[in-house]
Amino acid sequence: MWVLFKLVRVAFQTSNYSFARAILETRLVRGCSRQQSFMYFNALSTLAHGEEVLAVKGAKGIAESMELLSSCNSLLTSLAALEQNDKFGFQLEFIRLRLDTLNLIAITRSLYAEILMTEGTLSGKNNRTTLFRKNIGKSFGLLVSRLKKMYRLWGLHRCQQTRSTLRTLQAMCQLLSEFTKYGTKEAKNSSTPTSTSAPTQSMNMTLSKLRTDVLEQMPKLKQKDDSVSHASGLLLGLDVILKCPCPFPSGFFLMKPIPRAIVNISADPNILPKTISQNDDHDVTVDAKSGAEVIDAFPGLVTKVILSGVLPEKFIQTADVAFSEIIAWTTLQYEGQLYEEDDAVDSDVGGSNRFTLRDGPDSGETAGTLLPAGKFIMPVTFEPLLQEGYYKVIIELGCRDVRGGEWKVPTSSPLEVIFR
């Protein structure tokens, strides 16, 4: 059984889905004795069938392939519910991304096939179809963002082939996003990022040829305002990508959850004024809605919180790349007024007046050194707040490896605090 399963893994990694399906249906599914094993092998068989249909039929097999992949997703979801842990988190996210990609490709084909049928007569009008075509590029961009998040979360605990596959799929969605931007005549002078995966993969070679032979020729067609040529080139690229076997990550067969870090957040007592820090009756206040700790922020003074915690030993052992730094990314959101005014209609926390002040890399990152036994303690400083009110702070924990790569570290509970 184990030898056959290893053959199935190799068949998936080499995109030989018909061979993998034959082994699963004729040997593994019939020979398993546990309910969980039967469901898992059935899910793999359905997945192999769906990818096989797509590679053989191309665009004509999108509907059948999506039906099979949806069945695989249902089986894995039921299996994850039986296991009652996060063992299938990577598998479920990968299948859902694959489903969303195929669904978006099917929508894109129908929209641009309409341009060919109408010979571009409706491409410049402000109608619903034109609005959908404008949003297609943004939708592929969202897929790129989801793949990036998946790469940052799971890449540290998966092998190089899995990381390479995720980068390839990210490059594919980015290329399709650029294609659709040219198709809607909203392309900017931006270069399409290339994949850093192995050049011998068929998908990488296909993306490279599409980028050089089709995408780079579209700016010349754009000068002629030929929307029919844009649509024809886009449909050609979509059909070629669908016919090319999708690279499959070997980490799909690793069913282990990522150990979660235990982190505590507390206010820095050295920041408080002396008249306040001398009092001993400071109880911890917790927000009733979010359950986050409430920290008093004083006007004109910087606010500092202390992150302390420990990384599980399994998290360090299962990391494929060594790391020695802990990173904290912060997001600061204005939630509402501190005191409700008489003439205010609705000023409660979480109302419509919420907006983000600092988010992502622009807010700055705080890095600290990992101590022995996976322990860390790190101060995170915030600039003085200029306006009174409630502020929600969301902290994302990460780590940096020896090569400079940054990865996300999951925590046992959300890292959130309230400034007031």
Side-chain angles (χ1 to χ4, degrees):
M1 293 285 288
W2 176 243
V3 176
L4 293 176
F5 183 70
K6 289 195 293 184
L7 289 175
V8 170
R9 289 193 306 181
V10 174
F12 268 95
Q13 295 170 17
T14 56
S15 301
N16 195 349
Y17 299 112
S18 58
F19 180 67
R21 182 189 171 197
I23 296 178
L24 287 166
E25 292 183 352
T26 59
R27 301 293 298 275
L28 294 181
V29 174
R30 297 181 179 180
C32 61
S33 57
R34 297 177 63 247
Q35 178 185 5
Q36 287 84 347
S37 300
F38 179 79
M39 295 175 64
Y40 180 65
F41 290 145
N42 259 323
L44 291 181
S45 176
T46 307
L47 176 60
H49 190 191
E51 294 292 347
E52 180 186 0
V53 168
L54 195 64
V56 174
K57 298 182 179 180
K60 297 181 180 179
I62 291 180
E64 183 180 357
S65 177
M66 289 186 61
E67 183 179 356
L68 292 169
L69 292 181
S70 298
S71 177
C72 174
N73 181 52
S74 300
L75 287 171
L76 290 179
T77 303
S78 301
L79 188 58
L82 291 176
E83 296 290 341
Q84 295 182 353
N85 52 32
D86 198 24
K87 289 174 58 176
F88 295 93
F90 180 89
Q91 290 81 354
L92 289 173
E93 182 63 20
F94 182 81
I95 292 297
R96 289 163 185 169
L97 276 170
R98 184 64 173 156
L99 279 170
D100 292 342
T101 303
L102 291 178
N103 189 24
L104 193 55
I105 288 177
I107 295 174
T108 305
R109 291 193 78 263
S110 62
L111 291 176
Y112 284 90
E114 182 182 356
I115 296 180
L116 295 181
M117 295 177 62
T118 60
E119 297 182 353
T121 56
L122 301 178
S123 59
K125 297 183 178 180
N126 294 325
N127 51 25
R128 185 176 62 178
T129 304
T130 303
L131 179 62
F132 285 169
R133 286 200 298 267
K134 290 181 180 180
N135 291 331
I136 284 294
K138 299 178 182 179
S139 300
F140 278 112
L142 290 176
L143 290 179
V144 174
S145 300
R146 290 175 59 186
L147 284 167
K148 285 182 179 180
K149 291 181 180 179
M150 186 177 181
Y151 178 83
R152 290 180 59 215
L153 178 60
W154 298 92
L156 183 64
H157 300 272
R158 295 298 187 269
C159 63
Q160 177 62 29
Q161 191 271 348
T162 300
R163 294 192 291 269
S164 176
T165 299
L166 294 178
R167 289 195 298 265
T168 300
L169 295 176
Q170 179 182 331
M172 180 192 72
C173 293
Q174 183 64 43
L175 179 65
L176 293 178
S177 177
E178 295 295 327
F179 266 126
T180 54
K181 288 179 181 179
Y182 279 115
T184 55
K185 306 175 185 179
E186 292 181 351
K188 299 180 181 179
N189 294 327
S190 60
S191 58
T192 304
T194 58
S195 172
T196 56
S197 307
T200 55
Q201 292 184 1
S202 58
M203 178 62 77
N204 292 326
M205 297 176 62
T206 301
L207 295 178
S208 179
K209 291 181 180 179
L210 287 175
R211 187 177 294 110
T212 55
D213 298 342
V214 182
L215 183 60
E216 293 181 358
Q217 302 299 323
M218 281 190 170
K220 300 178 182 179
L221 298 175
K222 186 176 181 295
Q223 296 176 358
K224 301 179 181 180
D225 195 21
D226 190 355
S227 58
V228 177
S229 299
H230 293 159
S232 178
L234 176 61
L235 292 176
L236 173 63
L238 291 175
D239 292 340
V240 172
I241 289 177
L242 289 174
K243 282 281 188 177
C244 181
C246 176
F248 206 85
S250 57
F252 189 89
F253 301 95
L254 183 61
M255 295 170 290
K256 292 183 179 180
I258 301 178
R260 297 180 177 272
I262 301 175
V263 185
N264 298 319
I265 306 178
S266 59
D268 187 2
N270 298 325
I271 292 297
L272 300 178
K274 293 182 179 180
T275 57
I276 300 177
S277 61
Q278 290 175 355
N279 298 331
D280 296 330
D281 56 349
H282 286 286
D283 296 332
V284 177
T285 306
V286 178
D287 182 65
K289 293 184 178 180
S290 62
E293 181 180 351
V294 179
I295 298 177
D296 292 329
F298 299 93
L301 297 178
V302 297
T303 305
K304 182 184 292 186
V305 297
I306 304 297
L307 291 182
S308 60
V310 59
L311 297 182
E313 183 179 358
K314 289 185 178 181
F315 184 92
I316 302 176
Q317 292 177 351
T318 57
D320 190 64
V321 183
F323 62 93
S324 59
E325 280 188 310
I326 295 294
I327 310 173
W329 297 284
T330 58
T331 300
L332 183 63
Q333 296 178 348
Y334 177 75
E335 294 285 310
Q337 297 179 0
L338 187 59
Y339 302 102
E340 184 174 355
E341 300 178 359
D342 295 337
D343 57 348
V345 178
D346 185 12
S347 60
D348 58 331
V349 176
S352 60
N353 52 356
R354 175 185 301 179
F355 60 90
T356 301
L357 297 178
R358 295 182 294 174
D359 189 9
D362 296 336
S363 64
E365 65 180 26
T366 304
T369 304
L370 186 65
L371 302 176
K375 299 180 180 179
F376 63 91
I377 180 169
M378 179 171 49
V380 180
T381 305
F382 297 87
E383 297 179 358
L385 302 176
L386 302 179
Q387 180 182 356
E388 287 187 344
Y390 285 96
Y391 294 84
K392 184 177 182 180
V393 180
I394 302 175
I395 302 176
E396 183 180 12
L397 194 66
C399 62
R400 182 181 290 119
D401 60 30
V402 295
R403 301 178 299 184
E406 297 180 350
W407 313 94
K408 182 180 177 181
V409 177
T411 56
S412 56
S413 60
L415 303 182
E416 298 179 356
V417 293
I418 301 293
F419 289 168
R420 66 177 181 182

